[in-house]
Each structure stands twice: as structure tokens, then as C-alpha cells.
Amino acid sequence: MGRYVLRRLLQMIPVFVGATLLIFLMVNVMGDPIAGLCGDRQCDPGTAARLRKEFGLDKPVWQQYLTYMGNVFTGDFGTAFNGQPVTELMGSAFPVTIRLTIVAVLFEIVIGITLGVVTGLRRGRPVDTTVLLVTLVVISVPTFVTGLLLQLLLGVEWAWIRPSVSPEAPFEELIVPGLVLASVSLAYVTRLTRTSIAENKRSDYVRTAVAKGLPRHRVVTRHLLRNSLIPVVTFIGTDIGALMGGAIVTERIFNIHGVGYQLYQGILRQNTQTVVGFVTVLVLVFLVANLLVDLLYAVLDPRIRYA
């Protein structure tokens, strides 16, 4: 196991370098960030030259990237164009988005897997058909429509929740935004769990467990569910990074100042340091989540062993 983890960590290095390089190049071709600092009017040539030198934009792109990566390994993600260190923006944004992601993942695990198990065990029955239709509708409706509809009904018409989340963003205020963020993924988790349960239900090891006279709940939890969760865990593990980086729409609707909000502001103002810094951390989240998912396989299926 130790050698496997070490090998995976070494494999993550070129992936991290390649992903950050691609992001750095893509962000730098979005436009001239100095022009965005001056607003609608064109920058004075002397001011533009001074700003480019101050932020290191007068150097070649490859040299800018090497300088940035060298600073990243020392914990320095640069300075935003407003003079605020990017690490300070991360310190205020990531805790909020992490709480929002936790709520969303809990919805996926509790509701998605439960519905998937129920429909998988009752395939072809009315409850199965109903859940399939509902999940299809959820997948078809864009997230911003779901968010605006719930905000209008629950926040404005019925006043059950606050229409916008407070700056502290406690867990109780993130329940509805978390449900909106997880809605599409929850539907996919339900359908994926249902398919996996229905397929493994016909496996030989399940029929053997039933023939031995084991209780139904033990057959479902210890034999059927554990093996069926492998593709579901893979999806949820990769979805964690997608939820954190893809929360722009949800955070804009509910006025949540998290990672999505900062990325939106960075792209809008062409603040390359902010965008690259936040996306670099999200790349690390993706890599760590994938590693944890691979290690969790051995827990779910004892037949899987890592030399």
C-alpha cells in the first residue's frame, strides 16, 4: 500500500505541472489584464509599463510561469491587482465553498444512494419509474433555473429561507444552495446506483448469499451494496472538485462569496493571479480526491489489493 501511494504521488507531479501550465497559458490569452485595470479608458503608456513591470507581466510567459510555480511551492500565490494577496482571498472563499460542497455531497450520498438502492431492488415497479422520470427532469433543467425557482418560492414567496446567504455562510443557510448545487449530480448518483444494484443483484455471489439463508438486510448491505458502490464512489470523488469549481452559478444566485464568486470576479476583471491561484488549488483537490477514491476501492471490495 505504501509503495502504491508513493507511486501515485509521483505520478501526480507531471499531471499537476501540465494542468497548471495549461491553465496559466489559457488565462494569459484571455486578454490584456492591464487594460482591464484602467476601465473603459485606455491606460497611459507609462502607467501600463509600470504596472506590467510591477506584476511581472513584462517577462516572457514561460518565465512568468516558472516564477509563479516557484512561489507556489513556498505558499505564495501572488497578489491580486487590488493589492490583496491571493492567499487572503483563498482564506475567506475556500471555507465557504468547502461547507457548501459538504452539504452537496451529503445530499448525493444520503438521498442519491438511498433512492438508487430502493429503485434498483424494485426495478420495473412504479417507484422505479417515478424516480427515473424525476431524475430525468432534474438533469434536463439547468441549475440556474432550479436555483432561481427555489429562491423565489422558498425565499421570497413563502419566506422559509433567506433569499441570499449571509457573509458568514453557516451550514443551516447552505442547505438549499447545497441542494441546488447537488441536484444534477444527485440525479446521476441515483441512476448510477440503481443500475449497479440491479446488475449486481443477479450476480452469483448474491444468489449464493441468499441460498445460505442470510438475512435480506445483510445480503443488501454487506454483499450487494459494497460492490455496487465502486462506480458511485468514483463519480462522487471526481464530482467533489467539480462542485467546488462549478459553484459559480449557485454562488451568484444566493450571493455566496466563495470560490465561484472569486473566480467570476477574477475572470470579469481579467485578474490572472486570482484565477490561476484558485484553479491551481482546485487541481490539487481533484488529484487528492482521485487518490482517496482509489484507496477506498480496497475498503469496499476486499478482492482489490494494492501491491
Side-chain angles (χ1 to χ4, degrees):
M1 177 68 76
R3 291 183 178 179
Y4 175 78
V5 174
L6 180 60
R7 186 168 65 250
R8 284 298 306 273
L9 291 175
L10 293 176
Q11 291 174 352
M12 287 165 58
I13 295 176
V15 176
F16 174 73
V17 173
T20 52
L21 176 61
L22 182 61
I23 294 164
F24 194 87
L25 294 175
M26 292 176 63
V27 170
N28 275 273
V29 300
M30 287 194 312
D32 186 7
I34 300 301
L37 287 175
C38 300
D40 296 332
R41 296 191 305 175
Q42 188 175 2
C43 287
D44 177 76
T47 303
R50 179 177 59 81
L51 290 173
R52 284 192 175 89
K53 184 176 181 180
E54 179 181 350
F55 290 102
L57 300 176
D58 57 335
K59 301 176 182 177
V61 175
W62 65 268
Q63 192 172 351
Q64 294 180 39
Y65 175 74
L66 292 179
T67 303
Y68 171 76
M69 290 301 296
N71 293 333
V72 164
F73 288 112
T74 62
D76 181 12
F77 287 87
T79 304
F81 290 154
N82 61 358
Q84 186 177 9
V86 176
T87 51
E88 289 186 8
L89 297 175
M90 292 179 179
S92 62
F94 269 100
V96 175
T97 300
I98 288 174
R99 290 196 293 271
L100 179 62
T101 303
I102 290 174
V103 174
V105 171
L106 287 177
F107 274 120
E108 291 184 23
I109 294 174
V110 176
I111 299 178
I113 294 179
T114 301
L115 290 177
V117 172
V118 171
T119 54
L121 295 175
R122 293 169 174 80
R123 187 174 184 179
R125 298 183 182 180
V127 63
D128 179 34
T129 305
T130 303
V131 171
L132 285 178
L133 289 176
V134 172
T135 53
L136 182 60
V137 171
V138 171
I139 293 173
S140 303
V141 176
T143 303
F144 70 88
V145 175
T146 306
L148 290 174
L149 182 61
L150 291 180
Q151 185 186 50
L152 176 63
L153 293 178
L154 302 181
V156 179
E157 296 293 336
W158 301 336
W160 290 358
I161 64 170
R162 295 176 53 136
S164 61
V165 176
S166 60
E168 295 78 15
F171 275 106
E172 57 269 19
E173 294 184 12
L174 295 175
I175 293 177
V176 174
L179 179 60
V180 173
L181 180 62
S183 57
V184 176
S185 298
L186 189 153
Y188 280 119
V189 168
T190 300
R191 298 171 74 91
L192 187 60
T193 306
R194 173 216 177 241
T195 303
S196 188
I197 288 287
E199 180 181 352
N200 290 326
K201 186 180 177 181
R202 300 189 297 267
S203 300
D204 292 338
Y205 67 88
V206 174
R207 288 199 292 264
T208 301
V210 173
K212 287 182 178 180
L214 295 179
R216 178 179 173 83
H217 67 88
R218 187 174 180 182
V219 174
V220 173
T221 56
R222 290 184 59 87
H223 298 276
L224 180 58
L225 184 58
R226 287 182 62 176
N227 289 287
S228 301
L229 281 181
I230 290 180
V232 180
V233 168
T234 303
F235 177 83
I236 294 177
T238 55
D239 195 44
I240 292 176
L243 290 175
M244 294 184 66
I248 296 178
V249 175
T250 304
E251 292 185 359
R252 289 290 295 171
I253 292 174
F254 294 96
N255 194 33
I256 301 173
H257 289 191
V259 173
Y261 173 82
Q262 294 295 343
L263 282 175
Y264 173 79
Q265 293 296 325
I267 295 172
L268 190 66
R269 299 172 182 175
Q270 296 182 351
N271 197 332
T272 57
Q273 294 288 342
T274 302
V275 176
V276 174
F278 274 82
V279 177
T280 299
V281 176
L282 291 176
V283 170
L284 289 174
V285 171
F286 269 104
L287 293 176
V288 173
N290 285 330
L291 175 61
L292 294 178
V293 166
D294 287 347
L295 297 179
L296 191 58
Y297 287 161
V299 177
L300 294 173
D301 191 347
R303 295 171 298 179
I304 299 177
R305 287 292 179 266
Y306 298 112

